[in-house]
Amino acid sequence: IQVQLLFQPTNTINQVLSICHDTSARFFLRNDTINYYTRDPIVSADGNILISGQYVILSPPYIKGGGFLMKCTPGGDIIWHKAYDSLNQVKQGFINYYRILELQDGSILLGGATGYSSNGNVELLLTKTNSTGNIIWSKVYRSRLWGDGSGSADYFYIQQFKQDPASGDIYITGPFWYKGSALVRVNGAN
């Protein structure tokens, strides 16, 4: 991601001051009432930008938030924006979509984490949307090997995910906090 910083001296027009490369892998935007946390935006097949992540509302009740997905032009104009604030069963916790994959059929697969768990763990979350961000399906994945414990006992982090062009299946790689790494294959249709 390149960010152009602009300044306006008193007697000239806007000029490019510098180009910065952010290597922190975590970005956030803030306005008066909400923070957006995001990472790893992608360029979609049509040349626009897909950005996902987590939002937190900074006005009462303060802890409300959820996941989001937005599409914008390379110039930063928003084409559409979707906010996802629950998983239809539980109204507490968080949703953070930190990975995006545009699928061959134009749909979008969001990968991330959620705190919507009875045992207090951070769980793996996959959500498939259509090309305009409307949810097709959303699933939370848990492992019987993970212990209880507010996200620190164990959890699976999506390092990469790619679609197999022949089968349409999704391959996910990532580390566990406790032991090693994993390769997971998911049916992209369901």
Side-chain angles (χ1 to χ4, degrees):
I1 298 235
Q2 292 184 350
V3 177
Q4 292 187 349
L5 301 176
L6 301 176
F7 74 102
Q8 187 170 3
T10 55
N11 59 356
T12 63
I13 61 171
N14 287 351
Q15 298 175 9
V16 174
L17 176 63
S18 66
I19 296 178
C20 301
H21 298 275
D22 191 320
T23 59
S24 70
R26 182 169 174 101
F27 307 94
F28 69 92
L29 307 170
R30 182 176 183 165
N31 68 23
D32 291 339
T33 59
I34 194 167
N35 271 8
Y36 286 90
Y37 299 93
T38 184
R39 61 181 354 150
D40 296 331
I42 66 167
V43 177
S44 61
D46 63 5
N48 290 302
I49 311 296
L50 292 171
I51 302 170
S52 67
Q54 176 183 6
Y55 71 90
V56 178
I57 295 174
L58 301 174
S59 58
Y62 298 109
I63 56 173
K64 182 166 174 47
F68 76 92
L69 174 62
M70 68 185 289
K71 187 174 192 176
C72 62
T73 66
D77 296 320
I78 296 174
I79 298 169
W80 52 258
H81 178 277
K82 301 288 182 175
Y84 313 110
D85 64 357
S86 78
L87 296 176
N88 299 325
Q89 306 98 326
V90 183
K91 301 293 183 194
Q92 298 175 355
F94 71 93
I95 298 172
N96 184 2
Y97 293 116
Y98 56 83
R99 294 281 185 256
I100 310 171
L101 178 63
E102 185 176 27
L103 302 177
Q104 295 167 331
D105 64 1
S107 61
I108 301 164
L109 186 64
L110 299 170
T114 183
Y116 289 92
S117 172
S118 61
N119 64 3
N121 277 355
V122 173
E123 307 289 5
L124 177 65
L125 172 64
L126 295 179
T127 299
K128 185 176 181 180
T129 74
N130 64 15
S131 62
T132 58
N134 297 312
I135 293 177
I136 297 170
W137 55 258
S138 188
K139 296 186 181 188
V140 175
Y141 296 87
R142 296 177 175 95
S143 171
R144 61 184 170 78
L145 303 176
W146 300 351
D148 294 344
S150 68
S152 61
D154 200 358
Y155 98 132
F156 179 73
Y157 178 81
I158 300 173
Q159 196 88 37
Q160 291 184 333
F161 64 156
K162 305 283 184 190
Q163 185 175 31
D164 183 333
S167 70
D169 288 346
I170 311 301
Y171 288 88
I172 303 170
T173 63
F176 289 99
W177 278 4
Y178 176 60
K179 288 186 180 178
S181 298
L183 173 64
V184 178
R185 185 178 80 184
V186 176
N187 181 319
N190 62 17

